[in-house]
Amino acid sequence: IADPEKCDRMYESLARINSGYYKNKYPRLRNTSFTGVTVEECRMVLATDNMKQMEEMKKGMWKKIREKFTGKPEDATKEYV
């Protein structure tokens, strides 16, 4: 290590971040982001199951019906369009 003092300062800084020093020193008034969405709401939206459900909701009724009868999403619809 070229500069042991600088290394020690960096280590102490990382240790403070890891221990939650700044989280406790500067507590948040509310546990939300700039959008106002809570952590739990973000997790729920980002969950893969919910993403699949949202994709299903985006599909039109005719696409859903075609997929049901052809068994192939998108591939079969391109041939007939």
Side-chain angles (χ1 to χ4, degrees):
I1 299 174
D3 189 359
E5 289 179 18
K6 184 176 180 181
C7 182
D8 289 341
R9 286 193 312 264
M10 289 174 64
Y11 174 78
E12 290 169 8
S13 177
L14 291 171
R16 283 191 302 269
I17 292 171
N18 188 43
S19 69
Y21 172 81
Y22 293 107
K23 180 181 176 184
N24 297 328
K25 185 174 181 178
Y26 305 106
R28 299 176 89 177
L29 299 176
R30 285 182 255 152
N31 203 13
T32 61
S33 65
F34 71 96
T35 61
V37 178
T38 64
V39 174
E40 282 303 314
E41 290 171 334
C42 285
R43 286 185 184 139
M44 187 174 67
V45 167
L46 297 175
T48 50
D49 292 338
N50 290 333
M51 294 298 282
K52 289 177 186 175
Q53 289 176 359
M54 290 174 71
E55 287 298 320
E56 283 294 320
M57 290 171 52
K58 287 182 186 177
K59 291 182 183 177
M61 184 184 355
W62 292 112
K63 282 187 178 182
K64 288 179 188 177
I65 292 171
R66 282 188 217 146
E67 285 179 12
K68 203 178 266 190
F69 289 108
T70 60
K72 295 180 182 177
E74 299 297 321
D75 295 345
T77 58
K78 289 180 183 175
E79 292 178 24
Y80 300 109
V81 175

